[in-house]
Amino acid sequence: MTQSFDVAVIGAGPGGYVAAIRCAQLGLNTVCIDEWKNPQGRPSLGGTCLNVGCIPSKALLESSENYERAAHKFSAHGITVEGLSIDVPVMISRKDKIVSNFTGGVAMLFKKNKVTSMHGRGTLLGNSEDGDSGNDMTWRVEVKNGDQTDTVEAKHIIIATGSTPRQLPFALVDNERILDNTGALALTEAPKRLGVIGGGVIGLEMGSMWRRLGSEVTILEALPGFLMAADEQVAKEARKIFTRESGLIIQTGVKISGVETAGTNITLEYADAQGGTQKLEVDKLIVAVGRIPNTAGLGVENAGLRMDNRGYIEVDSSCRTNLPNVYAVGDVVRGPMLAHKASEEGVAVAETIAGQAGHANLDTIPWVIYTSPEIAWVGKTEQELKAAGIQYKAGQFPFRANGRARALGETGGFVKVLADARTDRVLGIHMIGPYVSEMIAEAVTAMEFAASSEDIARIVHAHPSLSEALHEAALGVDKRAIHI
Ligand code: FAD
Ligand code: NAI
């Protein structure tokens, strides 16, 4: 059976499902095709983000953080906890409930907005009519679900097929002993010794989480530096806190030569930064060495879709591919692999298709790492400004001088504002500290509105609040911070 639509979206992660809802809001007859199945074998919308990414990881980080507070931080408030324990299966089932609530929520949103939802793998077959302008063209997509094959026709295609974990040939994931993000989010007990290959975002979040529940965690990172995408000063502060206070063992500049599994034991052999041979024995190993764009089974070759040399679908600044009326958004295209970036591109493409001025500003995408303390930033780092030869001024304020942070007992970290030396326009804001995942929104708003540091300095911030640290850092750009 062939059904016809204005728009067919392939993939129902935060790029695809948001694009589909926005298309429907704009009056476009829309189908969203997705192949994700949950562990019970049932269709589950929401992609990586809702099923095995952002949402489950934050649920578990919160649980483990509560345990950590009760174990180590409550006593400073005079609260004594006796017989403290953690029931990991309960923690995991709480996470599973949150996931199923949200994935079911996407299905409800589809119904509410009259988006047709089809389960199965979408393959781009080609177009039926190739008008010069592309106006009369109809694309055909095969939807295969087990033995059943359907075809949909649509004037516009939005590809939002996301990404999958990059594999290491010498440490193949079985999700029993060697885990990717899916396995790391489903362990039912804290391993005694946990190894992590990759000191990036997943490695740090998952490593922190299991460390708080008692695992001895060793992170092995290939690059010579730590968190090299972040501002150097933030990365330095983070490494200090993660190793001295959180108890993570972090080794950078390593080269892993082999991983052997024998029974429940996993042995990693690697050269350390000095070239010395080292051995690490662990009970579980997480491999988190980045993600690759997912175009498997999409039919890119048949359709003639152009890819770049790293396997991403090539798009212009409006997410248009080389094929007429075919767009691609989210992890499968260039730019940061973040859920909010995928969603913003999805909305922009829907609005472009509907004839509006769709726009996603990749220069003001916030980054957040949900460790403790949290790390967040938007815009340029100091090292990027130096490399580009841009003259800048910096203002910085530590959380130890912030009243709310003191009350919380979370005084590590700081806020830093970088502004153009000539115009005072804010070029980047970097934070490490409590709840900076929430505070970064003000920084993004300021940069979207092309604020100067003086603009932020002139805004009234509630007292006592963590946001005062941003206020003081902005004042600090002109050396007029009050409380330091
Ligand atoms: P995805 O979410 O990957 O969705 C793609 C969907 O397309 C999937 O459902 C897939 O099954 C489906 N699909 C693929 N091919 C086909 C096909 N041919 N036919 C039909 N369906 C298909 N980002 C953040 O911003 N904040 C976070 O806190 C955060 N935490 C993360 C934690 C972890 C552990 C991981 C792994 C990722 C995290 N991310 C986070 C990244 C975030 O999950 C991704 O950037 C986001 O999911 C990308 O959205 P997407 O729509 O492009 O793709
Ligand atoms: P990543 O790119 O953040 O980090 C991977 C790390 O592995 C890098 O530091 C890299 O140098 C290292 N590496 C690569 N090969 C290695 C090897 N052979 N040995 C040792 N180290 C090696 O990727 P990660 O952590 O897998 O996460 C993927 C993406 O998912 C992130 O980049 C981010 O876009 C997204 N994500 C976002 C989160 C958030 O927003 N809070 C949370 C988790 C993931």
Side-chain angles (χ1 to χ4, degrees), residues 124 133-135 139 155-159 304-308 312-330 332-334 341 344-360 362:
L124 209 49
S133 63
N135 287 342
W139 287 94
K155 293 193 192 107
H156 304 270
I157 302 288
I158 304 176
I159 300 170
L305 197 59
R306 198 180 299 144
M307 323 275 282
D308 71 16
Y312 291 88
I313 295 174
E314 211 172 89
V315 287
D316 67 11
S317 58
S318 302
C319 293
R320 286 191 174 87
T321 70
N322 64 309
L323 301 176
N325 300 344
V326 178
Y327 300 79
V329 301
V332 79
V333 305
R334 84 285 174 263
K341 176 262 191 185
E344 281 310 303
E345 286 180 337
V347 168
V349 165
E351 291 177 354
T352 302
I353 291 172
Q356 299 185 356
H359 174 67
L362 295 193

Side-chain angles (χ1 to χ4, degrees), residues 10-16 33-36 44 46-49 51-55 57-58 120-123 160-163 181 185 202 205-206 291 294 296-298 329-332 336-340 342 368 370:
I10 308 178
I33 303 153
D34 189 84
E35 65 176 347
W36 196 288
S44 185
T48 304
C49 171
N51 288 286
V52 292
C54 325
I55 296 301
S57 60
K58 268 76 252 179
R121 168 162 285 194
T123 303
T161 47
S163 63
N181 54 298
L185 291 164
I202 294 180
E205 289 189 355
M206 292 297 91
R291 296 177 63 84
N294 180 21
L298 187 58
V329 301
D331 281 11
V332 79
M337 286 183 165
L338 296 172
H340 40 285
V368 177
Y370 294 82

